[in-house]
Amino acid sequence: DVRVAVVRDGTILLVQQKGEDAWSLPGGWVDIDTSLREAAVKEAREEAGADVRPEKLIAVLDRRKQDLGFFPYAVVSAYIGCSMAGDLTFRDNTETAAARFFPVDSLPPLSVMRTNRDLILLCHRSMIERWSHTIFD
């Protein structure tokens, strides 16, 4: 799994899951023969309409250890810090209903199977403070 963290003017980019009043970092499965960089660019474009430039690997985390609810498979999520390479131009798609930047002190309801407040704060802090290290478990 890849998750994209884009921080702009202190806010973080989230996407609203279609059919839900729940938001998450843009992301999804990494296709075979696709690098993490390519997957981050693809997911940001497809889910948020964001043209991004991957800058760093923030974290590589075991989903089971992140309080994201039960999932029948073992999944490792890579959190990629990106900058905007263009404008945010959301387009209707099959997965998400909206894309918006939010201040971390007023996050919307979160998609608990995809993300949580701690993960968003970790990504935000890493980008704001320009951490050079990667978190992993």
Side-chain angles (χ1 to χ4, degrees):
D1 178 54
V2 67
R3 294 288 150 184
V4 178
V6 180
V7 174
R8 183 178 73 183
D9 300 326
T11 62
I12 193 160
L13 178 63
L14 299 178
V15 292
Q16 183 182 23
Q17 301 305 306
K18 200 158 236 177
E20 300 177 36
D21 184 30
W23 296 72
S24 69
L25 295 167
W29 301 122
V30 178
D31 297 327
I32 293 174
D33 293 331
T34 302
S35 70
L36 288 176
R37 178 180 298 277
E38 292 166 333
V41 169
K42 173 184 164 283
E43 292 295 337
R45 185 177 298 121
E46 287 179 358
E47 291 195 356
D51 184 16
V52 300
R53 189 173 25 258
E55 295 180 351
K56 67 183 196 169
L57 179 60
I58 295 171
V60 179
L61 301 171
D62 183 334
R63 185 186 191 290
R64 294 170 297 178
K65 297 179 181 181
Q66 303 310 314
D67 193 28
L68 295 175
F70 174 76
F71 194 74
Y73 304 102
V75 175
V76 173
S77 295
Y79 294 83
I80 310 294
C82 299
S83 61
M84 291 292 292
D87 293 329
L88 183 64
T89 311
F90 180 79
R91 291 181 184 87
D92 189 40
N93 63 78
T94 59
E95 297 180 58
T96 58
R100 222 167 64 211
F101 284 89
F102 289 90
V104 292
D105 60 353
S106 59
L107 295 172
L110 300 174
S111 177
V112 296
M113 293 298 286
R114 292 175 183 87
T115 196
N116 61 42
R117 180 174 161 68
D118 290 341
L119 291 169
I120 290 172
L121 293 177
L122 170 77
C123 290
H124 184 266
R125 185 170 174 212
S126 173
M127 295 299 285
I128 292 290
E129 296 178 5
R130 300 196 177 281
W131 292 353
S132 59
H133 62 282
T134 301
I135 305 296
F136 60 95
D137 55 13

